[in-house]
Amino acid sequence: MVSEVADLGKTVETVSVLCMWPVVLLRARAAVRCTRQRGIWLAVATAAAATTLNLPPVTRLVEHITGPTHLTALAMNLCGVLSAAAVLDFTTTATGARHRPQLHAAVGLVLVTLVVLDLTAPHHVRHTSLGAGPATPSMAYWLVIIGTHLSANLFCARVCLRYSGCGSNRALRTSLRLFGLGTACAGVFWSAYLADLLLGPVWVPPILPYLMGLHGLLRAAALAVPAAVLLRAAVAELLTFHRLWPLWRDLVDAVPAVTLAERRPWILELLRPQGPRHFAVYRTIVEIRDAILVLRDYVQPERPVTDPAALARLLRDARRNKLDGQRPRTPDVNVAEAGGEDIAAETAYLVQVARAYRALPAPSLSR
């Protein structure tokens, strides 16, 4: 039963690694460009490296290539310390603390200490601390690692969970909350590790992979939040573009002079826009509005038009009148005044107009 629980824990840990690496690679470019994202990216990247080296298949592969050596375990633990350092660096940067030089010096001292303790220890092939038998390479080695991780995780979890309730940026709050929870799981992991090192309870080793796996999943989710926000915005823009397209197509068919670029099929415009993708909706709105300014001279409404359905009917009639060759007239009522006060409200309003336009009887849309 214990072995089955341990095997399932390793599966959870493997899944967390498979989730961390794609997110790390996806966010690498943004981390290079934005210093604010660099710390959290480094924390997840180094944690992914350390967790990957701890997976049994990877450990066996490395040993097959290099032979049995304690250097693999040393590299894994050094990556773990670098992850803790990245966590502290991210936290101090986010809180505006001015102790980064001291932090970097302390991390360097810890790394050197671990290397010295490992290389000067009696001959050993692997690093062990769980279960029966003495800790290798030494008790001091493991106490330095555990102390470093516990200090970093406690401080980071407290700061992240505290600031996750502040500010108006929902994505940032969510990312901080997920990162703080992941860091808290890492803190519980190292607390359990310390308990096993000092007391040796039999229940500790089977739960450790679950804690490390949950820590990886939560941190990967925290790093993925900005990408998820961008993806959601991109999908929303594509949907808006799709909804506005029939209205835009019919209006620029009647008033081709308002187009800012060459007219192309919908699918081509969607896949390869003529300019920055995030300007596609904005350009469509501008051209629809310019077309409305022209077509308003081809209808004579009796009162101001604000209802989207009424404006859709007027645009249908104005388009037909212009295509039938009628001469423009100065209308008594301005049909171009309806809309929103900003780009978001204007977009929402024109989407309603486009929806009402598509709902009009098909024969009425013919030339």
Side-chain angles (χ1 to χ4, degrees), residues 88-110:
L88 280 177
D89 187 73
F90 161 71
T91 308
T92 53
T93 302
T95 56
R98 300 180 179 179
H99 305 294
R100 295 185 71 191
Q102 297 91 323
L103 170 63
H104 295 166
V107 171
L109 180 60
V110 169

Side-chain angles (χ1 to χ4, degrees), residues 12-342:
V12 174
E13 197 171 12
T14 302
V15 170
S16 73
V17 170
L18 295 176
C19 291
M20 280 192 285
W21 280 119
V23 177
V24 166
L25 296 176
L26 179 65
R27 300 300 298 166
R29 184 177 179 183
V32 171
R33 292 182 300 177
C34 180
T35 56
R36 292 185 177 182
Q37 297 186 30
R38 199 169 300 158
I40 189 173
W41 181 86
L42 283 173
V44 179
T46 49
T51 309
T52 301
L53 289 173
N54 192 45
L55 295 177
V58 177
T59 302
R60 289 193 295 269
L61 176 62
V62 173
E63 288 186 352
H64 177 73
I65 296 173
T66 63
T69 174
H70 64 100
L71 296 180
T72 301
L74 177 62
M76 179 189 69
N77 289 325
L78 293 180
C79 285
V81 171
L82 288 175
S83 177
V87 165
L88 280 177
D89 187 73
F90 161 71
T91 308
T92 53
T93 302
T95 56
R98 300 180 179 179
H99 305 294
R100 295 185 71 191
Q102 297 91 323
L103 170 63
H104 295 166
V107 171
L109 180 60
V110 169
L111 294 174
V112 171
T113 300
L114 291 177
V115 172
V116 171
L117 288 173
D118 182 68
L119 296 180
T120 58
H123 176 73
H124 57 284
V125 176
R126 293 180 176 85
H127 290 187
T128 59
S129 61
L130 299 176
T136 56
S138 66
M139 178 69 75
Y141 176 90
W142 285 106
L143 289 177
V144 171
I145 289 178
I146 294 173
T148 301
H149 280 284
L150 282 178
S151 301
N153 292 328
L154 178 63
F155 179 67
C156 179
R158 183 174 64 86
V159 171
C160 286
L161 296 177
R162 175 186 175 186
Y163 284 91
S164 64
C166 305
S168 57
N169 190 321
R170 184 178 178 182
L172 178 60
R173 296 200 313 269
T174 301
S175 185
L176 283 175
R177 188 173 294 114
L178 290 171
F179 195 83
L181 290 174
T183 303
C185 288
V188 175
F189 172 92
W190 288 109
S191 298
Y193 214 105
L194 179 62
D196 184 84
L197 183 68
L198 300 178
L199 305 174
V202 295
W203 54 267
V204 168
I207 70 169
L208 292 180
Y210 292 95
L211 292 171
M212 188 52 63
L214 186 58
H215 143 266
L217 290 172
L218 288 169
R219 282 194 174 176
L223 188 60
V225 166
V229 171
L230 292 176
L231 178 61
R232 180 181 178 183
V235 171
E237 284 192 354
L238 290 178
L239 289 175
T240 300
F241 183 77
H242 171 70
R243 290 163 181 163
L244 291 174
W245 179 267
L247 176 64
W248 173 89
R249 179 196 58 209
D250 280 5
L251 295 189
V252 300
D253 183 49
V255 193
V258 301
T259 56
L260 302 177
E262 177 187 359
R263 291 182 58 185
R264 301 189 302 170
W266 172 85
I267 189 63
L268 188 60
E269 193 66 40
L270 189 65
L271 297 178
R272 297 184 61 184
Q274 302 177 85
R277 185 175 298 276
H278 58 281
F279 284 153
V281 172
Y282 182 76
R283 196 197 82 189
T284 303
I285 291 172
V286 170
E287 293 177 355
I288 289 175
R289 271 299 173 186
D290 289 345
I292 291 176
L293 289 175
V294 175
L295 292 176
R296 65 180 178 177
D297 295 338
Y298 291 86
V299 289
Q300 290 291 333
E302 298 178 356
R303 57 183 179 274
V305 179
T306 58
D307 179 64
L311 180 58
R313 290 191 296 270
L314 284 175
L315 291 177
R316 175 200 59 186
D317 296 339
R319 173 181 180 273
R320 184 183 61 242
N321 293 340
K322 186 176 187 305
L323 292 175
D324 287 344
Q326 293 187 18
R327 297 180 61 83
R329 297 175 295 175
T330 302
D332 297 329
V333 177
N334 191 351
V335 301
E337 292 179 351
E341 297 180 355
D342 54 35

